[in-house]
Amino acid sequence: VQLQASGGGLVQAGGSLRLSCAVSGRTASSYALGWFRQAPGKEREFVASISKVGGTKYYADSVKGRFTISRDNAENTQYLQMNSLKPEDTAVYYCAADGTSSGRLRTGEGDYWGQGTLVTVSS
């Protein structure tokens, strides 16, 4: 399974970005999907995850109410809509897939990882 993230960039505080993650090699519906991020000098942290058919979603407390995870299994793609961005959201964002559950992704575990896309939020 290959994961290709895109959509990062530079945005002002309060702005929005939408990240995409294309899944290839296997059908996306076989996997729970999620997003993680790593800021400079910090460890990777969980952002959000979504179950195989999209019925269950988890969010980190730091992004609840601002970020929305979604998926389109017909397009083998997941998304992360990020609103009300803050400078502390600046990080490299990674997408991940897990064959077991979105709950497992929430613990930081995953079967497959994509390359990151950089999000920079200026103050």
Side-chain angles (χ1 to χ4, degrees):
V1 174
Q2 291 80 45
L3 304 169
Q4 180 78 35
S6 61
L10 174 63
V11 63
Q12 288 188 331
S16 299
L17 278 177
R18 188 194 198 202
L19 304 184
S20 300
C21 176
V23 181
S24 61
R26 294 284 300 273
T27 55
S29 59
S30 298
Y31 299 93
L33 299 173
W35 293 93
F36 291 76
R37 67 187 182 185
Q38 187 167 18
K42 295 187 177 181
E43 295 195 352
R44 185 180 66 197
E45 64 174 354
F46 169 79
V47 175
S49 63
I50 186 168
S51 59
K52 295 177 183 180
V53 295
T56 300
K57 301 177 184 180
Y58 296 107
Y59 294 94
D61 288 344
S62 59
V63 307
K64 274 181 187 174
R66 300 188 298 120
F67 290 10
T68 302
I69 190 170
S70 61
R71 64 187 297 161
D72 184 340
N73 285 342
E75 296 294 328
N76 286 324
T77 303
Q78 69 160 334
Y79 304 96
L80 186 68
Q81 178 66 43
M82 306 186 295
N83 298 330
S84 302
L85 282 161
K86 304 175 182 180
E88 51 263 44
D89 294 318
T90 294
V92 177
Y93 284 70
Y94 299 89
C95 50
D98 189 81
T100 303
S101 72
S102 53
R104 186 166 180 262
L105 285 166
R106 188 172 61 163
T107 69
E109 300 293 328
D111 293 329
Y112 302 98
W113 297 84
Q115 96 300 343
T117 186
L118 177 62
V119 173
T120 304
V121 184
S122 63
S123 57

